Amino acid sequence: MDAETKERLMTPGPQVEAPQLMPNIRLASLARREENKVIDMARKQSYRRCKDAMQLFSDCSSKHTVGVVWRCNEMKNIMNECLRRANTVDDMDRARAIFIEEKLKTLDEKKDKPRTLIG
């Protein structure tokens, strides 16, 4: 595999669009459960961005069951480098901004509903 192909595979796809956060919302104002959801969201986004590199390693590992450690080492390194580049602090902030926007939308929808004892 030539260097240009390696670099193309190691480079993640385009970033996910995220809303601009309002200055009055603190990024650290999430509960641990919500922060875990943000981490999962960021992980899924990075998997989508690195799908070519992950597919390359997956194809290699499915062909070589016992020798996967030796024969697919280069593909594993390419996949890990792509995931490392796709999981930056900015990407985590982007996922957090998406989560906060969705949370604010659901809170606004709940605010308009009348509260009753019968569902």
Side-chain angles (χ1 to χ4, degrees):
M1 187 178 303
D2 63 344
E4 188 175 309
T5 305
K6 281 184 187 178
E7 186 59 34
R8 183 183 58 79
L9 287 170
M10 282 192 262
T11 305
Q15 295 179 339
V16 177
E17 292 295 321
Q20 290 292 329
L21 283 180
M22 295 177 285
N24 61 350
I25 296 177
R26 292 183 46 222
L27 289 179
S29 62
L30 298 176
R32 186 67 202 155
R33 174 181 43 87
E34 295 170 333
E35 193 66 32
N36 286 337
K37 288 181 183 179
V38 169
I39 291 169
D40 287 341
M41 184 186 301
R43 185 177 296 134
K44 288 176 185 176
Q45 289 172 358
S46 66
Y47 288 168
R48 274 186 251 127
R49 291 177 65 196
C50 293
K51 68 179 178 185
D52 293 337
M54 292 179 71
Q55 186 63 44
L56 183 71
F57 177 71
S58 176
D59 292 343
C60 180
S61 63
S62 65
K63 291 177 189 173
H64 310 287
T65 53
V66 176
V68 71
V69 176
W70 300 280
R71 293 187 177 159
C72 301
N73 193 32
E74 182 180 10
M75 284 69 144
K76 176 188 65 104
N77 291 338
I78 290 171
M79 179 187 68
N80 286 340
E81 179 62 23
C82 181
L83 290 171
R84 186 188 65 75
R85 291 179 185 183
N87 284 316
T88 61
V89 174
D90 291 336
D91 293 312
M92 185 62 77
D93 289 343
R94 193 172 289 108
R96 196 173 284 119
I98 292 170
F99 181 82
I100 289 174
E101 182 185 42
E102 290 173 0
K103 182 178 175 181
L104 289 175
K105 282 181 185 176
T106 57
L107 288 176
D108 285 342
E109 291 171 2
K110 287 180 180 179
K111 182 176 69 174
D112 295 337
K113 287 185 178 180
R115 296 181 70 181
T116 61
L117 294 176
I118 301 173

